[in-house]
Amino acid sequence: LRLVGSEMCIRDRSNILLRDNVIDANGYADRISKTLDNLAHSTISYAEFKDTLNLMIRNKLITQEFASYYMGVRDDLTR
């Protein structure tokens, strides 16, 4: 599995900023939300998108609620 380069950079930068107390949890959530929204609107396959969300859940980068919300966003785009 892979994230598109720019999304991976944003995710990694967000994790570092949170870890180093440069941003708070709300700032992290905003950055991750933007990343997931961009990913939901990208051209990656549905299966790859779902696998990416599951990987992010396993690595405790997002909650199941975030993943469910963005799966719904992706589903709405394919209707």
Side-chain angles (χ1 to χ4, degrees):
L1 298 180
R2 65 174 171 71
L3 294 175
V4 176
S6 61
E7 281 84 6
M8 190 176 349
C9 289
I10 293 167
R11 181 211 59 197
D12 292 343
R13 189 175 326 123
S14 297
N15 288 341
I16 291 167
L17 292 172
L18 180 63
R19 182 196 68 208
D20 293 345
N21 294 318
V22 175
I23 60 173
D24 62 10
N26 289 330
Y28 177 81
D30 289 343
R31 286 173 177 259
I32 293 298
S33 293
K34 288 176 187 172
T35 300
L36 292 175
D37 191 62
N38 288 337
L39 202 56
H41 289 85
S42 73
T43 59
I44 66 170
S45 72
Y46 182 86
E48 189 173 10
F49 180 70
K50 185 176 179 180
D51 289 344
T52 300
L53 291 177
N54 286 330
L55 182 62
M56 292 179 81
I57 291 167
R58 268 196 311 275
N59 287 303
K60 299 182 191 287
L61 299 172
I62 62 171
T63 63
Q64 180 62 52
E65 292 79 17
F66 255 63
S68 295
Y69 174 80
Y70 284 101
M71 284 302 296
V73 169
R74 182 70 181 232
D75 288 342
D76 289 346
L77 292 172
T78 60
R79 289 187 187 145

XYZ file of all heavy atoms in Angstrom:
638
model
N 0.834 -1.184 0.000
C 0.000 0.000 0.000
C 0.869 1.233 0.000
O 1.960 1.250 0.542
C -0.854 0.043 1.259
C -1.834 -1.073 1.456
C -2.586 -0.854 2.749
C -2.788 -1.186 0.318
N 0.340 2.271 -0.607
C 1.094 3.511 -0.614
C 0.134 4.675 -0.607
O -0.989 4.579 -1.086
C 1.997 3.590 -1.821
C 1.200 3.646 -3.116
C 2.091 3.880 -4.310
N 1.352 3.733 -5.538
C 0.423 4.577 -5.985
N 0.108 5.620 -5.303
N -0.197 4.376 -7.116
N 0.577 5.749 -0.046
C -0.142 7.000 -0.174
C 0.490 7.747 -1.320
O 1.666 7.582 -1.616
C -0.014 7.831 1.101
C -0.667 7.282 2.353
C -0.343 8.179 3.535
C -2.159 7.174 2.186
N -0.302 8.555 -1.983
C 0.249 9.421 -3.019
C 1.278 10.306 -2.336
O 1.107 10.724 -1.197
C -0.887 10.241 -3.660
C -0.338 11.216 -4.677
C -1.913 9.308 -4.284
N 2.376 10.596 -3.019
C 3.501 11.303 -2.427
C 3.142 12.511 -1.583
O 3.590 12.647 -0.446
N 2.311 13.394 -2.112
C 1.981 14.602 -1.359
C 1.170 14.278 -0.112
O 1.375 14.886 0.933
C 1.232 15.600 -2.239
O 0.016 15.042 -2.703
N 0.272 13.293 -0.191
C -0.518 12.918 0.979
C 0.377 12.307 2.051
O 0.214 12.562 3.234
C -1.632 11.939 0.605
C -2.825 12.592 -0.034
C -2.680 12.815 -1.522
O -1.688 12.357 -2.119
O -3.560 13.473 -2.100
N 1.357 11.498 1.643
C 2.269 10.898 2.602
C 3.092 11.984 3.299
O 3.292 11.924 4.508
C 3.207 9.902 1.914
C 4.006 9.087 2.887
S 5.070 7.801 2.183
C 4.605 7.662 0.514
N 3.541 12.965 2.551
C 4.321 14.058 3.142
C 3.489 14.838 4.153
O 3.974 15.168 5.239
C 4.822 15.011 2.060
S 6.105 14.308 1.028
N 2.238 15.133 3.808
C 1.367 15.867 4.729
C 1.125 15.044 5.984
O 1.206 15.549 7.093
C 0.038 16.246 4.040
C 0.295 17.269 2.944
C -0.977 16.774 5.058
C -0.869 17.475 2.007
N 0.848 13.757 5.808
C 0.607 12.889 6.962
C 1.833 12.842 7.857
O 1.740 13.024 9.062
C 0.244 11.481 6.496
C -0.049 10.548 7.655
C 0.310 9.125 7.390
N 1.720 9.008 7.080
C 2.250 7.943 6.499
N 1.502 6.940 6.159
N 3.540 7.879 6.250
N 3.012 12.621 7.265
C 4.237 12.529 8.060
C 4.552 13.848 8.738
O 4.924 13.880 9.910
C 5.410 12.087 7.185
C 5.269 10.655 6.706
O 4.452 9.901 7.286
O 5.972 10.284 5.752
N 4.402 14.947 8.026
C 4.657 16.265 8.604
C 3.690 16.521 9.755
O 4.079 17.032 10.797
C 4.515 17.345 7.531
C 4.968 18.709 7.970
C 4.952 19.756 6.866
N 5.282 19.251 5.561
C 4.485 19.353 4.497
N 3.329 19.952 4.569
N 4.849 18.864 3.330
N 2.430 16.144 9.581
C 1.433 16.330 10.634
C 1.795 15.531 11.873
O 1.676 16.024 12.999
C 0.046 15.915 10.137
O -0.368 16.737 9.070
N 2.243 14.287 11.680
C 2.634 13.454 12.824
C 3.807 14.067 13.580
O 3.826 14.081 14.807
C 2.987 12.041 12.362
C 1.779 11.260 11.942
O 0.662 11.586 12.290
N 2.003 10.229 11.153
N 4.776 14.592 12.851
C 5.946 15.214 13.484
C 5.525 16.468 14.246
O 5.950 16.686 15.383
C 7.028 15.530 12.438
C 7.628 14.223 11.912
C 8.114 16.431 13.031
C 8.480 14.392 10.668
N 4.682 17.290 13.629
C 4.236 18.518 14.290
C 3.459 18.210 15.560
O 3.622 18.885 16.577
C 3.396 19.361 13.337
C 4.140 19.969 12.143
C 3.147 20.621 11.187
C 5.192 20.959 12.600
N 2.621 17.182 15.525
C 1.870 16.782 16.716
C 2.820 16.250 17.790
O 2.743 16.650 18.950
C 0.819 15.736 16.355
C -0.047 15.228 17.499
C -0.884 16.355 18.086
C -0.944 14.099 17.018
N 3.719 15.382 17.387
C 4.676 14.797 18.329
C 5.516 15.872 19.021
O 5.781 15.794 20.215
C 5.597 13.820 17.589
C 6.606 13.128 18.495
C 7.728 12.484 17.745
N 8.547 13.541 17.154
C 9.271 13.405 16.049
N 9.283 12.276 15.396
N 9.990 14.410 15.585
N 5.911 16.884 18.258
C 6.771 17.941 18.801
C 5.982 19.098 19.415
O 6.550 20.136 19.723
C 7.703 18.477 17.707
C 8.721 17.444 17.256
O 8.916 16.431 17.960
O 9.333 17.650 16.193
N 4.681 18.898 19.584
C 3.794 19.896 20.191
C 3.752 21.219 19.436
O 3.528 22.268 20.026
C 4.157 20.139 21.655
C 3.912 18.925 22.506
O 2.893 18.260 22.354
N 4.835 18.608 23.382
N 3.977 21.172 18.128
C 3.870 22.372 17.302
C 2.398 22.622 16.969
O 1.972 23.764 16.869
C 4.721 22.236 16.018
C 4.521 23.417 15.092
C 6.195 22.064 16.385
N 1.645 21.534 16.797
C 0.203 21.639 16.597
C -0.475 20.805 17.669
O 0.117 19.885 18.223
C -0.252 21.184 15.186
C 0.122 19.719 14.930
C 0.291 22.104 14.117
C -0.433 19.150 13.635
N -1.744 21.138 17.918
C -2.501 20.347 18.890
C -3.316 19.284 18.152
O -3.224 19.151 16.932
C -3.382 21.250 19.744
C -4.425 22.015 18.947
O -4.625 21.723 17.739
O -5.048 22.920 19.532
N -4.095 18.546 18.894
C -4.886 17.460 18.300
C -5.868 17.980 17.254
O -6.105 17.324 16.229
C -5.619 16.687 19.384
N -6.422 19.173 17.475
C -7.346 19.740 16.482
C -6.618 20.087 15.192
O -7.142 19.883 14.095
C -8.051 20.974 17.045
C -9.049 20.620 18.112
O -9.637 19.548 18.097
N -9.237 21.522 19.068
N -5.418 20.625 15.309
C -4.620 20.926 14.125
C -4.268 19.662 13.366
O -4.304 19.625 12.129
N -3.940 18.607 14.098
C -3.647 17.311 13.483
C -4.882 16.796 12.752
O -4.802 16.383 11.599
C -3.202 16.317 14.548
C -2.938 14.934 14.005
C -1.734 14.635 13.381
C -3.897 13.930 14.115
C -1.489 13.370 12.879
C -3.660 12.666 13.615
C -2.453 12.390 12.997
O -2.223 11.132 12.487
N -6.031 16.849 13.412
C -7.276 16.364 12.798
C -7.590 17.141 11.524
O -8.006 16.546 10.522
C -8.427 16.464 13.796
N -7.384 18.454 11.546
C -7.627 19.268 10.346
C -6.714 18.846 9.201
O -7.165 18.701 8.060
C -7.412 20.757 10.644
C -8.490 21.357 11.517
O -9.572 20.740 11.651
O -8.245 22.449 12.078
N -5.451 18.656 9.495
C -4.502 18.256 8.451
C -4.826 16.873 7.897
O -4.791 16.666 6.687
C -3.074 18.277 8.989
C -2.535 19.673 9.173
C -1.178 19.633 9.871
N -0.630 20.953 9.991
C 0.312 21.449 9.197
N 0.802 20.716 8.231
N 0.756 22.669 9.367
N -5.136 15.940 8.779
C -5.461 14.587 8.329
C -6.773 14.600 7.540
O -6.904 13.904 6.530
C -5.513 13.605 9.517
C -4.113 13.433 10.114
C -6.100 12.266 9.120
C -3.065 12.853 9.172
N -7.733 15.409 7.966
C -9.004 15.517 7.241
C -8.771 16.001 5.812
O -9.357 15.461 4.869
C -9.954 16.473 7.959
O -10.353 15.930 9.186
N -7.938 17.006 5.654
C -7.632 17.518 4.310
C -6.944 16.446 3.468
O -7.255 16.269 2.294
C -6.754 18.768 4.400
C -7.499 19.974 4.912
C -6.588 21.164 5.081
C -7.338 22.310 5.754
N -6.459 23.407 6.113
N -6.031 15.712 4.087
C -5.336 14.646 3.377
C -6.310 13.564 2.929
O -6.290 13.125 1.776
C -4.240 14.028 4.264
O -3.307 15.051 4.615
C -3.515 12.905 3.562
N -7.191 13.142 3.838
C -8.157 12.097 3.500
C -9.161 12.570 2.466
O -9.568 11.799 1.589
C -8.865 11.603 4.761
C -7.979 10.831 5.733
C -8.750 10.496 6.997
C -7.416 9.581 5.092
N -9.557 13.830 2.533
C -10.470 14.370 1.532
C -9.811 14.366 0.152
O -10.432 13.959 -0.834
C -10.907 15.781 1.919
C -12.051 16.269 1.066
O -13.136 15.636 1.114
O -11.869 17.258 0.324
N -8.553 14.778 0.096
C -7.823 14.744 -1.177
C -7.700 13.320 -1.694
O -7.865 13.068 -2.891
C -6.432 15.363 -1.025
C -6.476 16.855 -0.862
O -7.426 17.510 -1.258
N -5.439 17.407 -0.260
N -7.423 12.393 -0.801
C -7.294 10.996 -1.189
C -8.627 10.430 -1.670
O -8.672 9.692 -2.649
C -6.765 10.202 0.004
C -6.067 8.883 -0.266
C -4.911 9.042 -1.211
C -5.593 8.270 1.042
N -9.719 10.804 -1.005
C -11.049 10.329 -1.411
C -11.401 10.811 -2.814
O -12.076 10.111 -3.568
C -12.109 10.803 -0.416
N -10.920 11.990 -3.171
C -11.208 12.572 -4.483
C -10.156 12.216 -5.532
O -10.264 12.650 -6.676
C -11.336 14.088 -4.368
C -12.577 14.522 -3.668
N -12.659 14.615 -2.298
C -13.795 14.873 -4.146
C -13.879 15.007 -1.964
N -14.587 15.168 -3.054
N -9.156 11.433 -5.158
C -8.084 11.091 -6.090
C -8.509 9.941 -7.009
O -9.608 9.399 -6.884
C -6.815 10.713 -5.324
O -6.959 9.439 -4.730
N -7.612 9.565 -7.882
C -7.917 8.521 -8.860
C -7.483 7.127 -8.421
O -7.571 6.192 -9.206
C -7.237 8.843 -10.210
O -5.826 8.940 -10.002
C -7.778 10.140 -10.792
N -7.044 6.960 -7.164
C -6.666 5.610 -6.735
C -7.912 4.728 -6.700
O -9.031 5.220 -6.574
C -5.942 5.599 -5.371
C -6.861 6.033 -4.235
C -4.679 6.435 -5.411
C -6.262 5.802 -2.844
N -7.689 3.451 -6.808
C -8.822 2.519 -6.830
C -9.538 2.502 -5.479
O -8.963 2.863 -4.446
C -8.337 1.108 -7.164
O -7.617 0.556 -6.072
N -10.776 2.051 -5.521
C -11.574 1.925 -4.300
C -10.873 1.000 -3.308
O -10.773 1.296 -2.120
C -12.960 1.395 -4.662
C -13.893 1.277 -3.486
C -14.645 2.365 -3.070
C -14.034 0.075 -2.807
C -15.510 2.265 -1.989
C -14.900 -0.040 -1.739
C -15.630 1.060 -1.332
O -16.483 0.953 -0.265
N -10.355 -0.130 -3.812
C -9.687 -1.109 -2.950
C -8.440 -0.502 -2.306
O -8.190 -0.703 -1.108
C -9.317 -2.355 -3.746
N -7.673 0.247 -3.074
C -6.470 0.871 -2.530
C -6.827 1.938 -1.494
O -6.159 2.065 -0.466
C -5.635 1.477 -3.656
C -4.287 1.948 -3.201
C -3.399 2.404 -4.339
O -3.878 2.543 -5.472
O -2.213 2.647 -4.067
N -7.892 2.682 -1.751
C -8.345 3.694 -0.793
C -8.750 3.024 0.519
O -8.317 3.435 1.599
C -9.516 4.485 -1.388
C -10.053 5.542 -0.475
C -9.312 6.675 -0.191
C -11.304 5.406 0.091
C -9.809 7.665 0.662
C -11.815 6.385 0.937
C -11.059 7.519 1.217
N -9.533 1.967 0.413
C -9.980 1.246 1.608
C -8.794 0.641 2.361
O -8.716 0.736 3.588
C -10.967 0.148 1.201
C -11.581 -0.583 2.354
C -12.617 -1.581 1.861
C -13.204 -2.339 3.033
N -14.200 -3.306 2.576
N -7.859 0.042 1.629
C -6.669 -0.534 2.262
C -5.835 0.537 2.963
O -5.300 0.307 4.043
C -5.812 -1.268 1.235
C -6.436 -2.559 0.750
O -7.371 -3.065 1.408
O -5.982 -3.067 -0.297
N -5.737 1.714 2.355
C -4.986 2.814 2.949
C -5.627 3.250 4.259
O -4.938 3.452 5.268
C -4.888 4.001 1.977
O -4.210 3.569 0.792
C -4.142 5.161 2.592
N -6.959 3.374 4.270
C -7.654 3.740 5.500
C -7.441 2.686 6.586
O -7.180 3.025 7.747
C -9.145 3.935 5.241
C -9.533 5.140 4.395
C -11.041 5.159 4.178
C -9.064 6.433 5.010
N -7.532 1.423 6.208
C -7.320 0.347 7.188
C -5.908 0.367 7.749
O -5.705 0.148 8.944
C -7.649 -1.016 6.572
C -9.134 -1.225 6.415
O -9.928 -0.706 7.189
N -9.515 -1.983 5.403
N -4.938 0.653 6.902
C -3.551 0.761 7.358
C -3.393 1.925 8.327
O -2.721 1.810 9.354
C -2.627 0.936 6.155
C -1.137 1.013 6.445
C -0.651 -0.284 7.075
C -0.380 1.294 5.156
N -4.044 3.038 8.030
C -3.970 4.201 8.915
C -4.636 3.910 10.258
O -4.153 4.353 11.298
C -4.590 5.416 8.232
C -3.771 5.906 7.042
S -4.507 7.316 6.206
C -3.964 8.626 7.316
N -5.720 3.132 10.248
C -6.367 2.725 11.504
C -5.423 1.836 12.312
O -5.224 2.060 13.503
C -7.692 1.982 11.231
C -8.739 2.930 10.662
C -8.225 1.331 12.509
C -9.946 2.226 10.085
N -4.852 0.837 11.654
C -3.940 -0.082 12.350
C -2.756 0.646 12.974
O -2.273 0.265 14.031
C -3.428 -1.152 11.387
C -4.258 -2.393 11.370
C -3.533 -3.557 10.719
N -2.933 -3.264 9.433
C -3.562 -3.319 8.263
N -4.833 -3.632 8.214
N -2.931 -3.053 7.146
N -2.291 1.682 12.307
C -1.145 2.445 12.812
C -1.571 3.595 13.720
O -0.755 4.439 14.081
C -0.305 2.969 11.643
C 0.464 1.862 10.987
O 1.226 1.167 11.627
N 0.243 1.673 9.693
N -2.862 3.602 14.056
C -3.417 4.587 14.993
C -3.227 6.032 14.533
O -3.026 6.938 15.338
C -2.855 4.383 16.391
C -3.190 3.012 16.951
C -2.666 2.849 18.351
C -2.734 1.475 18.840
N -3.681 0.705 19.219
N -3.306 6.225 13.208
C -3.229 7.569 12.650
C -4.609 8.206 12.550
O -4.737 9.426 12.557
C -2.566 7.548 11.269
C -1.124 7.038 11.248
C -0.646 6.886 9.820
C -0.226 7.963 12.038
N -5.630 7.341 12.419
C -7.016 7.805 12.360
C -7.890 6.828 13.125
O -7.485 5.702 13.398
C -7.545 7.951 10.907
C -7.545 6.601 10.184
C -6.775 9.009 10.151
C -8.240 6.621 8.831
N -9.102 7.268 13.438
C -10.066 6.395 14.102
C -10.942 5.700 13.069
O -10.990 6.100 11.898
C -10.974 7.207 15.041
O -11.727 8.136 14.250
C -10.170 7.941 16.103
N -11.664 4.703 13.521
C -12.618 4.020 12.654
C -13.681 4.997 12.164
O -14.135 4.913 11.028
C -13.271 2.846 13.402
C -14.286 2.089 12.576
C -13.667 1.441 11.351
O -12.680 0.715 11.460
N -14.228 1.703 10.182
N -14.069 5.944 13.013
C -15.078 6.945 12.631
C -14.593 7.798 11.457
O -15.365 8.080 10.538
C -15.432 7.832 13.822
C -16.185 7.113 14.927
C -15.307 6.253 15.836
O -14.072 6.421 15.848
O -15.876 5.382 16.523
N -13.325 8.215 11.494
C -12.754 8.977 10.370
C -12.815 8.131 9.104
O -13.222 8.603 8.045
C -11.280 9.339 10.661
C -11.056 10.764 11.038
C -11.614 11.295 12.183
C -10.257 11.578 10.261
C -11.380 12.602 12.545
C -10.016 12.891 10.616
C -10.587 13.401 11.759
N -12.391 6.886 9.215
C -12.367 5.997 8.053
C -13.772 5.805 7.490
O -13.972 5.880 6.269
C -11.755 4.659 8.425
N -14.737 5.581 8.349
C -16.123 5.386 7.892
C -16.647 6.627 7.185
O -17.302 6.532 6.140
C -17.030 5.049 9.074
O -16.661 3.813 9.628
N -16.361 7.785 7.750
C -16.800 9.033 7.130
C -16.218 9.170 5.718
O -16.944 9.466 4.767
C -16.398 10.238 7.988
C -16.708 11.547 7.301
C -18.003 12.055 7.311
C -15.727 12.247 6.620
C -18.305 13.240 6.661
C -16.018 13.433 5.963
C -17.301 13.927 5.984
O -17.600 15.090 5.325
N -14.922 8.950 5.569
C -14.293 9.139 4.262
C -14.616 8.021 3.288
O -14.594 8.245 2.075
C -12.784 9.383 4.413
C -12.577 10.802 4.893
C -12.303 11.081 6.215
C -12.747 11.878 4.028
C -12.174 12.383 6.673
C -12.628 13.183 4.478
C -12.338 13.425 5.796
O -12.230 14.711 6.229
N -14.973 6.837 3.780
C -15.493 5.802 2.882
C -16.824 6.276 2.313
O -17.109 6.074 1.136
C -15.664 4.470 3.613
C -14.364 3.719 3.856
S -13.412 3.334 2.371
C -14.528 2.233 1.525
N -17.635 6.939 3.159
C -18.897 7.501 2.688
C -18.675 8.595 1.654
O -19.406 8.668 0.648
N -17.683 9.433 1.866
C -17.345 10.474 0.890
C -16.991 9.817 -0.439
O -17.485 10.217 -1.497
C -16.185 11.364 1.392
C -15.659 12.274 0.283
C -16.611 12.184 2.600
N -16.140 8.814 -0.381
C -15.715 8.111 -1.604
C -16.911 7.440 -2.272
O -17.054 7.500 -3.495
C -14.618 7.101 -1.243
C -14.047 6.337 -2.401
C -13.207 7.227 -3.296
N -12.682 6.480 -4.413
C -11.409 6.463 -4.753
N -10.519 7.148 -4.086
N -11.028 5.755 -5.781
N -17.777 6.811 -1.472
C -18.961 6.145 -2.029
C -19.864 7.152 -2.742
O -20.396 6.875 -3.826
C -19.761 5.435 -0.937
C -19.047 4.187 -0.420
O -18.130 3.678 -1.094
O -19.404 3.738 0.686
N -20.053 8.319 -2.125
C -20.897 9.361 -2.736
C -20.340 9.820 -4.075
O -21.108 10.151 -4.986
C -21.049 10.567 -1.801
C -21.912 10.265 -0.594
O -22.624 9.225 -0.586
O -21.871 11.059 0.365
N -19.043 9.833 -4.218
C -18.422 10.280 -5.459
C -18.600 9.270 -6.587
O -18.586 9.642 -7.760
C -16.918 10.518 -5.247
C -16.563 11.684 -4.347
C -15.069 11.681 -4.056
C -16.979 13.001 -4.988
N -18.786 8.004 -6.237
C -18.911 6.965 -7.265
C -20.354 6.712 -7.678
O -20.613 5.921 -8.560
C -18.264 5.650 -6.797
O -18.928 5.205 -5.603
C -16.786 5.819 -6.544
N -21.286 7.392 -7.031
C -22.711 7.207 -7.384
C -23.103 8.081 -8.520
O -22.613 9.039 -8.891
C -23.587 7.530 -6.184
C -23.450 6.481 -5.140
C -24.438 6.706 -4.022
N -24.114 5.734 -2.999
C -24.214 5.960 -1.723
N -24.625 7.104 -1.271
N -23.913 5.037 -0.860
